[in-house]
Amino acid sequence: MKKSTKIWLCIEGILLVALGVYFLVNPNITLVSAAYVLGFLTLFTGISKLVFTFKTQAFMPNSGTRMLMGLLDVFFGCFFLFNLLGTAATLPFVFALWVIIKGIGIVVASFDYKKVGFPFWWALLLLGIIGVLLGILGFRNMDVTAVTLSTLISIGVILFGMANILAVAGVTRFEKAVGEQVKAFKDQFNQPTQA
């Protein structure tokens, strides 16, 4: 994978963590502002995920899952941006659904990382499960206050940012595993035949 793609994935992760910290530091931010910022970030995340999927689909398993997750992020990003007042009113529901979907996507991806021997695949699995649980918690508490919602958003976004940064390390492991398989294949056919 190109170095620039890894850099974009790291930037995405750092931006997600920064946004989560921003929400934690400013718990009184309005839901409309949260919808606006979340819309831009979700749209950026979706586009990044689609670019990543197209560039890695040849050697990474389950690229269809990542593509679906990218398309859903683009959909939710557009929904947040073009329906700010509606999003503000329904943000607890929409956010809970988004967190559950993202969490499931991270859980599925963690098993791909396990297949190639990435040692921290379990961290991705754990982050995904926590994301799903936070989403379910959001569904159970639709009457949460803006401060509580801001805290849930903060934790969820920080977790997804951390998962993104871990994924970059996993991609490097994927590349190494593919390189080893290609080398073994070439070595197998380059050995002299015995008469």
Side-chain angles (χ1 to χ4, degrees), residues 63-120:
S63 61
T65 302
R66 278 183 293 286
M67 183 178 296
L68 177 62
M69 299 310 294
L71 290 172
L72 287 171
D73 280 347
V74 169
F75 169 77
F76 279 118
C78 291
F79 178 81
F80 291 152
L81 287 173
F82 297 116
N83 189 16
L84 289 176
L85 293 177
T87 301
T90 62
L91 194 57
F93 174 79
V94 172
F95 177 71
L97 180 62
W98 178 68
V99 168
I100 289 171
I101 291 170
K102 291 283 287 181
I104 291 169
I106 291 171
V107 167
V108 170
S110 72
F111 291 106
D112 291 339
Y113 289 103
K114 180 182 179 183
K115 285 180 186 175
V116 296
F118 180 56
F120 299 109

Side-chain angles (χ1 to χ4, degrees), residues 83-172:
N83 189 16
L84 289 176
L85 293 177
T87 301
T90 62
L91 194 57
F93 174 79
V94 172
F95 177 71
L97 180 62
W98 178 68
V99 168
I100 289 171
I101 291 170
K102 291 283 287 181
I104 291 169
I106 291 171
V107 167
V108 170
S110 72
F111 291 106
D112 291 339
Y113 289 103
K114 180 182 179 183
K115 285 180 186 175
V116 296
F118 180 56
F120 299 109
W121 69 270
W122 58 268
L124 287 171
L125 176 66
L126 184 62
L127 291 171
I129 290 170
I130 291 170
V132 171
L133 293 175
L134 284 173
I136 292 169
L137 179 64
F139 269 123
R140 292 179 50 106
N141 299 299
M142 284 297 168
D143 58 342
V144 295
T145 64
V147 173
T148 304
L149 178 60
S150 179
T151 302
L152 288 174
I153 290 172
S154 303
I155 294 169
V157 171
I158 288 170
L159 288 175
F160 294 145
M162 291 168 53
N164 225 36
I165 293 167
L166 273 173
V168 171
V171 166
T172 302

